[in-house]
Amino acid sequence: EILSTTFLLLSVHFYLRARADRALRPLPYAASIAAFALGLLSKLSLVTAPLFFLLVDALASKRPRWDRKFWTEALVNKIPYAVAGLVALRLNMGAQVTAQAAYAHHPFQYLMVKGHAVWNYLALLAGLRAGSPDYDTPTLAASIVPIVLNLAGLLILPAVVWFAGRRGYRSLALGAGWIFATLLPVLV
């Protein structure tokens, strides 16, 4: 965890330095990609970091967010990250064991478990719950309230990012976006 987080923070640091000017500065950009690739070698869940970089681009840009040229440039700049991520995913697929849990083969139950995971991680991050992020699969109730609450866990962070971005609360939008991007591998 420490090694992957170190490389992730280095990648973010170099990415912010690379985009400090109007055009991406090549040396910090290359350093960001290299740190990202090294981070992937230590923990595959970093594969979602480019989504956070897109959020940084959207919130830090002086240009309108609906500008087609802006989004084209932002997406093209993420291609090297995507290539590194796809290579790491492909290598990992050959080594990873297939899940045997019953919920993994039923999409609705899978979404319920992942929604519960979001609430669990948020409670841990907020200090509302003691313990480890590793936990046993919850029992899935058939009543409507647990179903709605678990599924709401999948929507809460994107909703916070959208709301905070619209209101100009950049720190909140980036914080929620960071949490969402880091939790995304748990959800997938």
Side-chain angles (χ1 to χ4, degrees):
E1 296 292 330
I2 293 173
L3 184 62
S4 65
T5 302
T6 300
F7 285 124
L8 176 62
L9 292 175
L10 281 171
S11 182
V12 170
H13 170 75
F14 286 121
Y15 184 76
L16 292 173
R17 290 195 55 189
R19 68 170 315 283
D21 298 330
R22 263 193 141 352
L24 278 179
R25 294 172 33 208
L27 204 53
Y29 181 61
S32 174
I33 295 166
F36 175 72
L38 290 171
L40 285 173
L41 293 175
S42 60
K43 187 161 179 123
L44 192 61
S45 64
L46 298 185
V47 75
T48 60
L51 294 175
F52 178 73
F53 294 156
L54 277 174
L55 181 64
V56 168
D57 290 342
L59 291 174
S61 177
K62 304 283 189 251
R63 294 190 294 187
R65 289 184 213 146
W66 57 85
D67 182 18
R68 178 179 229 130
K69 184 180 178 192
F70 165 77
W71 284 109
T72 302
E73 288 175 9
L75 290 171
V76 166
N77 292 336
K78 305 312 173 282
I79 290 174
Y81 297 100
V83 169
L86 288 173
V87 168
L89 282 171
R90 179 67 184 120
L91 292 172
N92 189 53
M93 283 174 58
Q96 191 171 11
V97 177
T98 304
Q100 298 300 319
Y103 75 86
H105 305 287
H106 300 295
F108 186 72
Q109 288 182 350
Y110 182 80
L111 288 174
M112 294 277 294
V113 169
K114 297 310 177 179
H116 183 272
V118 170
W119 290 119
N120 187 49
Y121 285 120
L122 287 176
L124 288 168
L125 287 170
L128 302 173
R129 181 172 186 267
S132 167
D134 297 328
Y135 68 101
D136 294 328
T137 304
T139 55
L140 300 175
S143 66
I144 192 71
V145 173
I147 289 172
V148 170
L149 288 176
N150 284 336
L151 293 178
L154 299 174
L155 302 174
I156 191 73
L157 287 172
V160 169
V161 171
W162 177 82
F163 175 80
R166 298 279 296 169
R167 296 286 186 178
Y169 304 137
R170 289 184 177 179
S171 296
L172 178 59
L174 287 171
W178 177 270
I179 293 169
F180 183 69
T182 56
L183 284 178
L184 202 55
V186 174
L187 303 175
V188 183

